[in-house]
């Protein structure tokens, strides 16, 4: 992480490069925030990207926020990073309700879906956006859910006294679905319509990893266009979190990336800790590292298994599932829950390790290398597997950056960018591990990267397990954040007060905003938090790596065959729970 | 009156004895075996994938096929509103019937008296109830080859039948009026045509060696020489790989690749109509396995080890005596021919299942590439080399 001193000079540098565009610069918890106006926004963003001294080639996230009291009620935050220089800056712009913002899609392609999301959930319009439609809510939805004045109760329930005044939702849905949802949104451009066929793949399809829907325009088996539709699993996690206390919101994060819930907890906990400036004991951090890496293994196992199954290698799927089960058993042993553990909590982890934990994990780590070799043997040099994946759906490094890919997807394209190394968090610097990268960026490389990452994660687990003593500190001693132990409650009045306050009101972080990132199994999982000093998050936004990486799908599928679309989805490894949130 | 009815009765009895009874036995055996093949497949794949497979219905789950059958029979028969009804209804039959018909020429074993039953039947007078002139039992042959019809163009007939069954799949894809089904049907059409050619070419080598198109004669030819897998290893490989493609099995199961086109041509089918396609697929698997056994592994012939002293080059280095090998050969001889035939078929079926559990699926264009650019030239080369060898050896 860059120090405060260089950040101040960075702000000065940007001001000099783009005169008049930056109206203010702030600094909080080591993050630089530049404020600008809608008129200057586009100029500032393109300078940030194109200027050789700045080189902010990576748009990580765009997060909206709603402040109804202000004259310009919406705030849009661009998280911009420079990958070779490893520095980042937040560009903040305020915009009124009817004011359009210039689009950033011509600067970074990844801005496309982010802007659609903000349009959908806040109603901010982006002028010049190529395809400004709703993305998470259905096209016929009324209102913008993340606005603070959007009714929490959702639709009104019809009773006999009010049923005349309520439009039944069923009618709205029927009317909406009657629209051209199933057709292509834009007319086919330069292909003769008579030779093409439109296939609706999903949301109920065996290989779309959940409820992803793709509208494919095919000529025979050749895919001419792919239009992804998402939002079928939109559960309003961000909105829900804004209405829970800081501590309670941990539980909803579990439900985002349901293949690696502890990592979501970790991202959120780290963000809150950054916001509050909490120091977590080293042992607790080591435990977190161990859990995060076990989770990465579980997630990669599913990624590999489903990917293989979709390409027809059915047995690999079952083998992967078998091994993931061992990890879930460990999670069960640790927390009592197989998947939605909520074990990683603000201030540390929820409880100390159970007796026999070390042995259970060690047993798993002992058998695991042979298992990875088994997958390696079944697939890596398999001629059919090579034929299906080598040179298929290539993502060039330039595209990978432009589309904001992260995790194994960007590393598959040969860009060595791993937040565990590049923006170290927890105690990762203590551990030695390699970051595998691919060469060509095809499906095969992404597969190899994940396979090697499993071996490396296991190495981290082995080291972490040695570091963790069976008993010790597992959460911060700060009684404002972590509840006092049971024995203390019976003797200590102050402990009782802390306990009472913590469980009735929660804690109140200082005012401010942070954007905290971790390397989840799928890439950069970022949490943008705004605190207004109350006991609930004012705004929680999640930069979901799958949401971002799924966006590249149409670009890499074009010109391929239908079977390649399946290979591409499998290699991008999206989890719809995280995409739709 | 009697003069008129008696010959009609005799003819009918002849038809029953020579056509109906064997057909009835074979057809039912095939359908039941096909049903149990689904059980075996699930069990084998289950064990390969470290799970138990079906084990709830009956001992070891053995009644699972029965339960499946009842389920499929009682399922609602859905015909999509937009489907071409006639084509949709007829397609499953077109798919299954040719497969069953192909069994007519598969020989299962040597001419046999069926453990003395046939000679006994020949002299059976119906306990005196049937007038001697009407008695159909003397029509029963003394020894019967276990084949419904020893057609002199048996190989051609089977190729024709397996080609016909592709119509069922194509029509199912077309008649369903569904995009996934259509894609599956198209894939299947292309696939079957491509691999039929490679398969036909692979067989030609064997036919040149045997000098006959009759499956019985081909086995006989191997009895007097050696199993043709030794002479035609390449042809054998091409035949078996093409056979897998021909029956739409993994790793060539593109017409029903569930991860791409849901269930392919039978996406819209349910209940018994769906089961027909399933039976056709498993029936075709058995046909290909039987063909592979007959053409390359000597059909019902028992495995015979070479006598060490007859192998001049390495015979003296082997640690076994002629007597021991002869004893083993004698024991192998004692196994009934039909058991040999069935175990060879079983071996190939196992390979089918094994492949399915192991390999990823090829892509459509790669499959075509393999068929036309690899299998076809290799098949032609095989014919050429075989012809050359026959020419040189006279």
């Amino acid at each position: 992480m860059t120090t405060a001193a260089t950040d101040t000079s960075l702000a000065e540098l940007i001001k000099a490069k783009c005169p008049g565009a930056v109206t203010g610069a702030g600094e909080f918890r080591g993050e630089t925030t530049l404020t600008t106006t809608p008129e200057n926004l586009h100029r500032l963003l393109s300078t940030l990207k194109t200027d050789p001294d700045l080189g902010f080639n990576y748009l990580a996230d765009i997060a909206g926020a709603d402040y109804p009291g202000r004259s310009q009620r919406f705030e849009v935050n661009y998280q911009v990073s420079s990958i070779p220089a490893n520095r980042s800056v937040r560009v903040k712009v305020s915009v009124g309700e009817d004011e359009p913002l210039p689009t950033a899609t011509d600067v970074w392609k990844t801005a496309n879906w982010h802007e659609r999301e903000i349009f959908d959930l806040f109603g901010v319009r982006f002028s010049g956006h190529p395809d400004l439609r709703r993305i998470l809510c259905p096209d016929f939805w009324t209102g913008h859910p993340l606005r603070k004045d959007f009714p929490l109760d959702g639709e009104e329930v019809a009773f006999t006294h009010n049923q005349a005044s309520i439009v039944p939702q069923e009618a709205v849905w029927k009317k909406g679905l009657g629209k051209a949802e199933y057709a292509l949104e834009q007319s086919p451009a330069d292909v003769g319509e008579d030779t093409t066929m439109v296939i609706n793949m999903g949301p109920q399809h065996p290989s779309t990893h959940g409820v992803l829907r793709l509208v494919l325009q095919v000529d025979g088996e050749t895919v001419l266009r792919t239009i992804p539709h998402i939002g079928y699993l939109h559960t309003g996690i961000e909105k829900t979190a804004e209405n829970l206390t800081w501590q309670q919101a941990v539980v909803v994060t579990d439900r985002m990336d349901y293949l690696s819930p502890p990592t979501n907890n970790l991202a959120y906990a780290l963000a809150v800790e950054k916001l509050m400036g909490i120091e977590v004991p080293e042992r607790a951090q080591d435990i977190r590292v161990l859990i995060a890496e076990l989770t990465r293994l579980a997630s990669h196992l599913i990624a590999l298994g489903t990917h293989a199954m979709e390409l027809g290698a059915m047995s690999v799927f079952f083998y992967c599932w078998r091994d993931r089960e061992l990890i879930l058993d460990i999670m069960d042993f640790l927390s009592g829950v197989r998947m939605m553990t909520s074990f990683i909590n603000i201030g540390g982890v929820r409880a100390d390790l159970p007796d026999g934990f070390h042995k259970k994990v060690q047993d798993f780590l002992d058998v695991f290398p042979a298992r990875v070799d088994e997958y390696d043997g079944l697939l890596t040099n398999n001629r059919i597997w090579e034929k299906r994946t080598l040179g298929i759906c290539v993502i060039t490094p330039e595209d990978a950056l432009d589309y904001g890919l992260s995790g194994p997807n960007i590393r598959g394209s040969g860009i060595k960018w791993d937040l565990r190394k590049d923006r170290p968090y927890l105690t990762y610097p203590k551990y030695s591990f390699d970051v595998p990268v691919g060469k060509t960026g095809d499906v095969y490389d992404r597969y190899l990267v994940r396979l090697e990452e499993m071996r490396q994660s296991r190495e981290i687990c082995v080291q972490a397990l040695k570091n963790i003593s069976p008993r010790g500190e597992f959460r911060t001693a700060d009684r404002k954040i972590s509840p006092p132990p049971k024995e203390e409650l019976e003797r200590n009045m102050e402990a009782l007060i802390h306990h009472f306050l913590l469980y009735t009101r929660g804690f109140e972080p200082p005012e401010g905003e942070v954007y905290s990132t971790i390397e989840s199994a799928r890439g950069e999982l970022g949490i943008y938090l705004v605190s207004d000093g109350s006991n609930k998050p004012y705004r929680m936004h999640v930069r979901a790596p799958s949401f971002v990486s799924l966006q590249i799908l149409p670009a890499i599928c074009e010109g391929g065959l239908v079977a390649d679309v399946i290979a591409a989805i499998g290699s991008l490894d999206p989890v719809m729970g995280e995409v739709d949130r | 009156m009697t003069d008129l009815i008696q010959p009609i009765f005799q003819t009918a009895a002849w038809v029953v004895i020579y056509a109906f009874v064997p057909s009835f036995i074979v057809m039912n055996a095939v359908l039941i075996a096909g049903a149990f093949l689904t059980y075996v497949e699930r069990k084998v794949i289950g064990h390969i994938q470290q799970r138990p497979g079906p084990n709830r219905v009956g001992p070891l789950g053995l009644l699972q096929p029965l339960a499946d059958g009842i389920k499929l029979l009682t399922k609602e028969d859905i015909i999509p509103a937009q489907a071409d009804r006639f084509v949709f209804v007829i397609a499953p039959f077109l798919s299954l019937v040719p497969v069953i018909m192909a069994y007519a020429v598969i020989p299962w074993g040597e001419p046999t008296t069926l453990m003395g039953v046939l000679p006994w039947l020949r002299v059976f007078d119906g306990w005196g109830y049937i007038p001697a002139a009407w008695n159909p039992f003397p029509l029963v042959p003394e020894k019967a080859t276990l084949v419904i019809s020893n057609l002199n163009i048996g190989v051609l007939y089977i190729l024709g039948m397996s080609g016909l069954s592709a119509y069922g799949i194509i029509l199912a894809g077309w008649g369903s009026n569904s995009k996934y089904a259509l894609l599956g049907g198209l894939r299947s059409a292309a696939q079957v045509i491509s691999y039929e050619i490679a398969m036909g070419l692979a067989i030609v080598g064997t036919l040149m060696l045997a000098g006959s198109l009759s499956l019985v004669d081909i086995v006989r030819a191997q009895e007097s020489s050696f199993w043709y897998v030794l002479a035609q290893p390449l042809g054998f490989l091409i035949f078996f790989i093409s056979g897998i493609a021909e029956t739409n099995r993994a790793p060539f199961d593109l017409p029903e690749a569930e991860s791409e086109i849901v269930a392919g041509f039978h996406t819209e089918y349910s209940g018994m109509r769906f089961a027909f396609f399933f039976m056709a697929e498993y029936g075709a698997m058995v046909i290909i396995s039987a063909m592979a056994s007959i053409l390359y592994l000597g059909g019902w012939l028992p495995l015979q080890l070479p006598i060490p002293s007859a192998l001049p080059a390495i015979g003296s280095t082997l640690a076994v005596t002629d007597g021991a090998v002869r004893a083993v050969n004698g024991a192998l001889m004692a196994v009934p021919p039909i058991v040999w035939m069935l175990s060879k078929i079983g071996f190939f079926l196992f390979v089918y299942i094994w492949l399915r559990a192991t390999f990823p699926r090829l892509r459509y264009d790669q499959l075509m590439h393999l068929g036309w650019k690899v299998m076809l030239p290799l098949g032609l080369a095989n014919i050429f080399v075989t012809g050359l060898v026959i020419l040189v050896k006279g």
Side-chain angles (χ1 to χ4, degrees), chain A residues 83-102:
Chain A
I83 279 198
N86 192 8
R87 54 188 181 186
S88 51
V89 66
R90 173 160 53 237
V91 176
K92 183 190 284 294
V93 59
S94 291
V95 62
E97 200 161 345
D98 301 316
E99 233 179 305
L101 270 183

Side-chain angles (χ1 to χ4, degrees), chain A residues 394-448:
Chain A
V394 177
I395 303 176
T396 61
E398 297 75 35
D399 268 353
L401 286 170
D402 212 12
Y403 278 98
L405 296 193
S406 51
N409 294 333
I410 199 171
R411 292 195 284 274
S413 296
I415 296 174
K416 202 165 184 165
W417 178 248
D418 187 325
L419 299 178
R420 289 174 293 177
K421 290 265 192 205
D422 294 310
R423 265 182 225 163
Y425 54 97
L426 295 179
T427 47
Y428 275 111
K430 278 203 314 203
Y431 301 108
S432 70
F433 61 99
D434 288 336
V435 178
V437 289
K439 290 190 189 73
T440 53
D442 55 7
V443 173
Y444 190 68
D445 276 357
R446 291 194 280 282
Y447 151 74
L448 281 184

Side-chain angles (χ1 to χ4, degrees), chain B residues 195-274:
Chain B
Y195 279 87
E196 198 125 293
I197 296 171
M199 192 158 111
L201 289 177
I203 294 177
V204 170
T206 327
L207 301 183
M208 287 160 81
L209 290 177
S212 170
L213 280 167
S214 153
L215 291 169
V216 176
D217 291 352
I218 291 173
V219 176
R220 293 250 176 279
Q222 292 179 70
E223 196 168 17
S224 54
S225 55
F226 45 80
W227 291 6
Y228 286 156
V229 66
L230 299 173
Q232 296 277 324
L234 181 64
F236 171 68
L237 274 180
I238 298 174
F239 174 82
F240 194 61
I241 292 174
S242 308
I244 297 167
E246 175 94 6
T247 46
N248 300 330
R249 291 282 304 184
F252 307 111
D253 54 345
L254 295 161
E256 45 192 284
E258 89 266 357
S259 59
E260 294 156 27
I261 50 174
V262 190
F265 60 87
H266 58 60
T267 305
E268 304 293 337
Y269 281 89
S270 60
M272 229 30 219
R273 293 185 207 284
F274 163 74

Side-chain angles (χ1 to χ4, degrees), chain A residues 11-310:
Chain A
E12 294 305 318
L13 179 66
I14 295 169
K15 273 183 192 165
K17 290 284 182 186
C18 196
V22 181
T23 54
E27 165 86 39
F28 182 70
R29 304 281 187 225
E31 292 176 22
T32 310
T33 307
L34 305 172
T35 321
T36 186
T37 55
E39 302 80 56
N40 291 320
L41 175 68
H42 193 268
R43 184 161 63 95
L44 178 60
L45 291 180
S46 25
T47 312
L48 279 174
K49 185 184 179 189
T50 50
D51 192 283
D53 294 340
L54 298 172
F56 283 88
N57 50 1
Y58 187 81
L59 175 66
D61 186 31
I62 308 180
D66 180 23
Y67 301 92
R70 299 187 188 167
S71 60
Q72 289 178 306
R73 73 181 278 188
F74 300 115
E75 213 176 58
V76 179
N77 297 285
Y78 296 77
Q79 299 290 347
V80 194
S81 303
S82 158
I83 279 198
N86 192 8
R87 54 188 181 186
S88 51
V89 66
R90 173 160 53 237
V91 176
K92 183 190 284 294
V93 59
S94 291
V95 62
E97 200 161 345
D98 301 316
E99 233 179 305
L101 270 183
T103 180
T105 44
D106 50 347
V107 187
W108 297 280
K109 285 180 184 150
T110 181
N112 190 328
W113 280 19
H114 289 303
E115 289 179 356
R116 280 178 65 187
E117 185 188 321
I118 292 171
F119 164 70
D120 187 2
L121 301 179
F122 290 97
V124 177
R125 305 196 73 84
F126 291 88
S127 58
H129 190 287
D131 185 25
L132 196 64
R133 287 178 294 125
R134 285 185 180 273
I135 187 163
L136 296 176
C137 300
D139 282 344
F140 47 85
W141 192 264
T142 41
H144 301 282
L146 278 186
R147 287 189 179 186
K148 288 286 176 189
D149 50 10
F150 190 80
L152 264 187
D153 323 41
E155 64 190 78
E156 208 176 337
V157 181
F159 292 106
T160 39
H161 71 275
N162 63 354
Q163 66 185 9
S165 61
I166 294 173
V167 185
Q169 278 295 306
E170 219 180 316
V172 176
W173 280 80
K174 267 192 185 146
K175 195 167 145 248
L177 288 174
K179 284 202 298 185
E181 264 262 306
Y182 284 85
L184 292 169
E185 274 67 20
Q186 293 124 16
S187 65
D190 46 359
V191 281
E193 250 184 297
D194 47 343
T195 62
T196 66
M197 179 161 82
V198 176
I199 296 184
N200 183 44
M201 189 185 260
Q204 308 296 336
H205 188 279
S207 59
T208 48
H209 283 228
V211 285
L212 169 65
R213 181 175 144 229
L214 299 171
V215 178
L216 303 177
Q217 187 187 12
V218 295
D219 182 5
E221 293 249 348
T222 313
V223 178
L224 302 174
R225 261 147 57 87
T226 314
I227 300 175
H229 289 256
I230 62 170
Y232 291 89
L233 210 56
H234 180 52
T235 43
I237 280 174
E238 293 175 9
K239 184 82 173 174
T240 312
E242 286 167 21
N243 292 287
L244 297 172
T245 64
W246 294 93
Q247 189 71 273
Q248 286 168 336
V250 172
V251 179
V252 293
T253 60
D254 271 324
R255 273 81 187 162
M256 291 188 306
D257 177 354
Y258 46 73
L259 295 184
S260 50
T263 332
N264 303 338
N265 301 153
L266 177 62
Y268 176 72
L270 282 175
V272 178
E273 283 155 15
K274 185 175 180 184
L275 185 67
M276 301 177 71
I278 303 171
E279 278 300 317
V280 176
E282 189 165 334
R283 180 168 175 273
Q285 296 196 31
D286 284 336
I287 296 175
R288 284 175 166 192
V289 167
L290 178 66
I291 295 172
E293 292 309 315
L294 284 175
T295 309
R296 188 185 315 279
L297 286 178
S299 175
H300 277 3
L301 280 171
I302 294 200
L304 174 66
T306 51
H307 186 28
M309 183 178 65
E310 280 149 17

